[in-house]
Amino acid sequence: MKVAVLYSGGKDSTLALHKVYKSHEVECLLTFQPASEESMLFHYPNARLVELQAKALGLPIIVRRTGNSAEEGIMALEEALKQAKKDYGLEGLVTGAIKSRYQADRFGQVCRKLGLEIISPLWMRDEIELLREIVETGITAIITRVGAYPLKKDLLGKPIGKEIISYFESLREILNPSGEGGEYETFVIDAPLFKKRIKILRSRIVGKDYDATLIIEEAELEDK
């Protein structure tokens, strides 16, 4: 099946891409650049750098800017999918959704309207198991935002690894370990499908504990 991947640049959409890469024809990535961190549907921090990740993957990318509301996000998604159907003969959309009914229902409505199949290979998986699979797959994802107590800004820039996974596991009674509700966000700098890795040249941290963002100001591709 010819598919597009709804790609935020974070760990979950990258794992979803890797899981479907051999079973489907990945024609392109779709990414959205919301107005701010208040976006209801899409990642905001460092969204503009997803185009650099697309170059690292060697995949075409369709980029849409959108407002923060769910309605604006859905409108942008529908426009992008229509373009992908026209340009690539798209038959399905791959998402990194795990347990968010809010996102899954809205993405599913758009796909049904356009006659597309929706594929969510991470759906209803245990969040800690997925974090371990991300590491085992060889995906290097750094934390770029914390947005919930008790996550402090000293987590920013750290890669998802055994220590971080153990920390999130200890908090799972009060915090979603996947960060799917905006508790934290990530940015992938390397993965098995990346032909080159991303090197961060300049960054800064804004905000305070429980509400802080790592802004990547400059980055480039380097040989692996």
Side-chain angles (χ1 to χ4, degrees):
M1 182 185 298
K2 293 184 177 182
V3 300
V5 176
L6 187 57
Y7 194 70
S8 69
K11 59 181 177 52
D12 299 327
S13 57
T14 302
L15 181 60
L17 166 63
H18 279 71
K19 290 179 80 68
V20 303
Y21 195 78
K22 291 183 179 180
S23 56
H24 296 286
E25 297 177 45
V26 178
E27 298 292 331
C28 65
L29 306 176
L30 303 182
T31 194
F32 300 88
Q33 298 176 351
S36 76
E37 292 165 350
E38 301 303 316
S39 174
M40 297 294 290
L41 290 176
F42 303 119
H43 282 206
Y44 172 73
N46 306 300
R48 72 192 188 285
L49 291 176
V50 176
E51 293 176 68
L52 193 63
Q53 291 170 313
K55 289 181 180 178
L57 287 161
L59 288 170
I61 186 168
I62 295 174
V63 180
R64 287 284 186 276
R65 290 181 173 83
T66 179
N68 289 332
S69 72
E71 291 76 14
E72 290 170 304
I74 289 301
M75 187 179 300
L77 176 61
E78 184 172 338
E79 291 173 356
L81 286 172
K82 285 179 179 177
Q83 181 181 338
K85 281 189 73 173
K86 178 183 177 182
D87 294 349
Y88 302 106
L90 196 67
E91 299 169 281
L93 175 68
V94 177
T95 83
I98 302 171
K99 292 180 180 176
S100 173
R101 289 284 180 189
Y102 183 84
Q103 289 182 328
D105 289 348
R106 282 154 180 80
F107 296 157
Q109 288 171 6
V110 176
C111 287
R112 286 192 295 273
K113 180 179 179 180
L114 299 178
L116 297 172
E117 185 171 335
I118 190 161
I119 303 164
S120 299
L122 314 186
W123 187 246
M124 289 299 168
R125 290 278 307 280
D126 179 82
E127 292 93 339
I128 294 297
E129 287 182 7
L130 284 174
L131 289 176
R132 293 189 179 116
E133 185 173 352
I134 285 161
V135 174
E136 290 165 1
T137 300
I139 295 169
T140 303
I142 62 170
I143 297 174
T144 53
R145 174 160 172 76
V146 292
Y149 177 85
L151 304 183
K152 296 185 177 182
K153 65 181 182 180
D154 61 7
L155 288 172
L156 297 175
K158 291 186 177 180
I160 299 293
K162 291 182 179 179
E163 183 179 340
I164 295 292
I165 294 171
S166 294
Y167 176 59
F168 287 148
E169 188 170 19
S170 72
L171 297 173
R172 71 181 308 163
E173 295 299 320
I174 61 171
L175 187 94
N176 186 334
S178 72
E180 194 175 29
E183 295 86 350
Y184 71 95
E185 295 185 17
T186 61
F187 181 80
V188 171
I189 58 174
D190 197 13
L193 290 177
F194 279 31
K195 297 173 175 61
K196 293 190 175 185
R197 71 167 60 89
I198 293 174
K199 181 180 181 180
I200 297 173
L201 301 175
R202 187 161 47 92
S203 65
R204 61 189 172 92
I205 291 174
V206 298
K208 54 188 178 180
D209 288 344
Y210 326 135
D211 183 13
T213 302
L214 174 71
I215 298 174
I216 301 171
E217 296 183 325
E218 187 178 359
E220 66 181 11
L221 298 180
E222 64 177 5
D223 292 335
K224 298 173 71 168

